[in-house]
Amino acid sequence: MGGIKPFLTGRSFEETPLLVAVLTYMGYGILTIFGYLRDFLRDWKLEKCHLAREREEQKDFVPLYQDFENFYTRNLYMRIRDNWNRPIRSVPGAKMDLVERVTPDYNWTFEHTGKVLKDVINMGSYNYLGFAENTGTCADTASECTEKYGVGVCSTRQELGNIDKHEELEKLAARFLGVESSMVFGMGFATNSMNIPALMEKGCLILSDELNHASLVLGARLSGATIRVFKHNNMQSLEKLLRDAMVHGQPRTHRPWKKILILVEGIYSMEGSIVRLPEIIALKKKYKAYLYLDEAHSIGALGPRGRGVVDYFGLDPCDVDIMMGTFTKSFGAAGGYIGGKKELVDYLRLHSHSAVYATSMSPPITQQIITSMKCIMGEDGTTLGQERLCQLSENTTYFRRRLHEMGFIIYGNNDSPVVPLMLYMPAKIGAFGREMLKRNIGTVVVGFPATPIIESRARFCVSAAHTREMLDTVMFLRFSYSFMNL
């Protein structure tokens, strides 16, 4: 492998301007005051209540629905809920068709108008390499696989759900990752939440990045291990926790930890940042810890061969103890994988709840992954995979560079296809999503609690399927919207 790629952060995380922060807090404060006012009106039957509540005859029961806990959802999220869960009726490619809907009651309910919004530029799907398509080799082979195997297996891998396609995919994935063995699972979220508990237990220590995905957080909690959180991509914070763990051991008894596991992601989906993998591997070796790398967003999207963040930095895959990733993004399919030493994978086959109890991966989904992975590796006899990797890299560089030149504050690494554009103020969350859709652009807007309260953003996902004209259209309209709001 080549030399290790230098890590250049660039303008990764620009500080929130003080005035913007103050105005953002004021915006949330005003929304909260009006929320309490609306709750008061609902209690006095002056405003119609759409909330889930117990029947009158259950008034003496312990409440099933906690009203105050849902305050944010009820009074803030509900006002902009039309920006999410939009139904689509086409392939989620570079362009898509959306079903138009309207709400008569401020987003509590929706009605379909029967109209379809055609050719909306899709800047929200994780379709990094453009394999989410219904024509071409992937679609053809998946169709043939459906005719032979059907659409479902209806059993677990350990019973009657292990087909030859699963084993073919696992051998191919191991070669693709450069590891001894791999195992595939039918659901990406469960790959994390069910396998971490199989590897960690009480008496173990998990060191987790503060911005890790919910599946990693849930898996860590279900394991029963002690969890300590380090600052995002901060090696000083991580090393301090490692040093303290080695010096002090477990609480009260001060016995050595059974295992220490570092949990990180390749690309952080809300920040667009790339993990400092060379430095983490150095710390892992220094303190004899294990490393669990979630490559959900980086596999297929980073590296000269599309093999993720390990390939991006030119590192040895053997230095990562547990390589995890999903097939839901770059491969245009579903499910996840765990890769590593053969002993690790054999252990998970027997002890992972996701392997023992979950239904096997659907055959056409398996075939979709096999075909797209072979395309990326160049084993299909074409250069299409390499062309898509190059196109994604060019699109990402161009899109980020132009946004910088236009003066927008964006987060993340320059090579990351996840591009968060900062909105800050709560009123802009809904307004931005609606205005973009009026201009035939589909975007994802994100706010608290998915982000810090003063860091609301629009998150764009660049794809190899996007043309330069599409990206220029998106940036021109976005600039026009920004200018109109000055």
Side-chain angles (χ1 to χ4, degrees):
M1 294 186 181
I4 293 178
K5 185 180 181 71
F7 191 85
L8 302 175
T9 57
R11 296 165 57 195
S12 291
F13 298 100
E14 188 169 335
E15 290 291 330
T16 304
L18 180 60
L19 178 59
V20 172
V22 171
L23 292 174
T24 301
Y25 279 121
M26 288 177 60
Y28 276 106
I30 293 170
L31 286 172
T32 303
I33 291 171
F34 275 92
Y36 279 112
L37 177 60
R38 281 196 293 269
D39 278 353
F40 175 80
L41 295 175
R42 291 175 189 132
D43 288 339
W44 285 89
K45 313 298 184 188
L46 298 175
E47 180 178 322
K48 186 176 180 180
C49 182
H50 299 271
L51 307 177
R53 287 185 173 179
E54 291 82 5
R55 297 190 300 272
E56 183 63 27
E57 55 267 30
Q58 293 178 304
K59 64 180 187 301
D60 295 327
F61 285 34
V62 176
L64 182 61
Y65 310 105
Q66 297 293 335
D67 279 354
F68 186 76
E69 290 179 5
N70 296 323
F71 178 86
Y72 182 89
T73 302
R74 190 168 61 245
N75 294 304
L76 282 78
Y77 167 75
M78 197 60 63
R79 310 297 286 190
I80 55 175
R81 191 162 73 104
D82 56 304
N83 284 282
W84 296 280
N85 305 317
R86 290 170 176 158
I88 69 171
R89 53 166 296 174
S90 68
V91 172
K95 290 187 176 182
M96 59 186 175
D97 298 339
L98 293 182
V99 177
E100 186 181 69
R101 57 182 185 172
V102 294
T103 175
D105 50 15
Y106 298 102
N107 296 335
W108 286 99
T109 61
F110 293 99
E111 298 173 0
H112 294 161
T113 64
K115 297 180 181 179
V116 177
L117 305 177
K118 294 280 189 179
D119 295 329
V120 177
I121 298 176
N122 182 6
M123 296 300 297
S125 295
Y126 305 133
N127 184 24
Y128 298 128
L129 293 179
F131 282 116
E133 51 195 0
N134 57 3
T135 58
T137 307
C138 288
D140 293 341
T141 55
S143 177
E144 293 168 7
C145 185
T146 303
E147 292 178 2
K148 180 178 179 181
Y149 293 92
V151 295
V153 180
C154 303
S155 183
T156 67
R157 293 287 296 276
Q158 289 195 356
E159 294 174 333
L160 297 175
N162 189 39
I163 63 175
D164 56 348
K165 287 294 178 183
H166 294 144
E167 297 192 4
E168 179 186 351
L169 173 57
E170 289 176 342
K171 291 176 183 177
L172 180 65
R175 282 198 294 112
F176 181 68
L177 298 169
V179 296
E180 291 181 7
S181 184
S182 74
M183 183 176 183
V184 298
F185 305 86
M187 180 181 180
F189 191 98
T191 306
N192 278 333
S193 60
M194 293 290 101
N195 282 300
I196 295 174
L199 297 171
M200 305 297 283
E201 60 184 359
K202 187 177 180 181
C204 297
L205 175 65
I206 294 176
L207 303 180
S208 177
D209 189 291
E210 66 179 344
L211 297 183
N212 275 342
H213 189 261
S215 59
L216 290 169
V217 174
L218 178 60
R221 290 175 177 171
L222 291 175
S223 71
T226 300
I227 304 169
R228 290 176 183 162
V229 178
F230 61 92
K231 295 179 181 178
H232 176 56
N233 247 356
N234 189 312
M235 297 304 104
Q236 290 75 28
S237 176
L238 174 59
E239 184 165 18
K240 183 179 184 303
L241 292 180
L242 284 166
R243 192 186 307 115
D244 289 347
M246 299 299 293
V247 171
H248 301 295
Q250 299 183 43
R252 294 190 298 277
T253 64
H254 299 293
R255 292 176 181 172
W257 295 99
K258 294 179 182 177
K259 282 178 281 190
I260 299 176
L261 180 69
I262 302 171
L263 282 185
V264 293
E265 295 185 44
I267 292 179
Y268 289 83
S269 61
M270 207 58 73
E271 308 298 317
S273 54
I274 297 175
V275 67
R276 295 177 175 270
L277 191 59
E279 298 166 65
I280 288 179
I281 288 177
L283 289 176
K284 160 198 119 77
K285 291 180 177 179
K286 180 178 178 181
Y287 292 96
K288 305 295 189 292
Y290 293 100
L291 176 58
Y292 187 111
L293 174 63
D294 179 344
E295 293 225 71
H297 286 268
S298 52
I299 193 70
L302 280 183
R305 298 175 298 168
R307 302 185 184 187
V309 71
V310 176
D311 186 30
Y312 175 76
F313 285 109
L315 301 170
D316 187 347
C318 294
D319 287 335
V320 179
D321 301 287
I322 304 107
M323 298 186 73
M324 177 271 170
T326 63
F327 301 119
T328 58
K329 300 166 180 69
S330 295
F331 301 93
Y337 66 82
I338 293 283
K341 292 188 178 298
K342 186 176 185 300
E343 294 83 358
L344 166 74
V345 175
D346 289 345
Y347 177 85
L348 290 176
R349 290 187 195 281
L350 296 175
H351 294 88
S352 169
H353 283 75
S354 187
V356 177
Y357 298 109
T359 302
S360 302
M361 182 182 287
S362 169
I365 292 293
T366 308
Q367 185 60 59
Q368 163 77 17
I369 302 166
I370 291 172
T371 308
S372 57
M373 189 174 289
K374 284 184 176 180
C375 181
I376 296 171
M377 298 170 73
E379 293 187 4
D380 62 341
T382 72
T383 60
L384 179 62
Q386 192 60 43
E387 290 170 5
R388 294 192 185 208
L389 291 170
C390 293
Q391 187 63 51
L392 174 62
S393 179
E394 290 176 9
N395 286 351
T396 298
T397 302
Y398 175 75
F399 193 65
R400 282 183 166 275
R401 177 175 57 81
R402 292 287 290 121
L403 287 178
H404 271 309
E405 292 172 353
M406 293 164 70
F408 290 102
I409 297 177
I410 63 174
Y411 276 6
N413 187 281
N414 290 335
D415 295 321
S416 169
V418 179
V419 186
L421 183 147
M422 305 311 293
L423 299 176
Y424 298 115
M425 299 180 193
K428 284 189 176 181
I429 301 173
F432 191 90
R434 294 176 190 128
E435 289 298 323
M436 290 298 102
L437 187 58
K438 286 180 182 177
R439 293 158 171 78
N440 246 34
I441 300 171
T443 62
V444 174
V445 287
V446 192
F448 180 82
T451 68
I453 196 165
I454 61 170
E455 293 184 8
S456 300
R457 64 198 66 180
R459 183 184 62 181
F460 305 101
C461 295
V462 181
S463 170
H466 289 136
T467 63
R468 185 64 60 89
E469 290 74 23
M470 291 179 192
L471 298 179
D472 286 339
T473 299
V474 171
M475 285 184 284
F476 173 75
L477 292 177
R478 195 175 303 146
F479 178 76
S480 299
Y481 170 75
S482 177
F483 181 77
M484 286 189 296
N485 281 273
L486 289 178

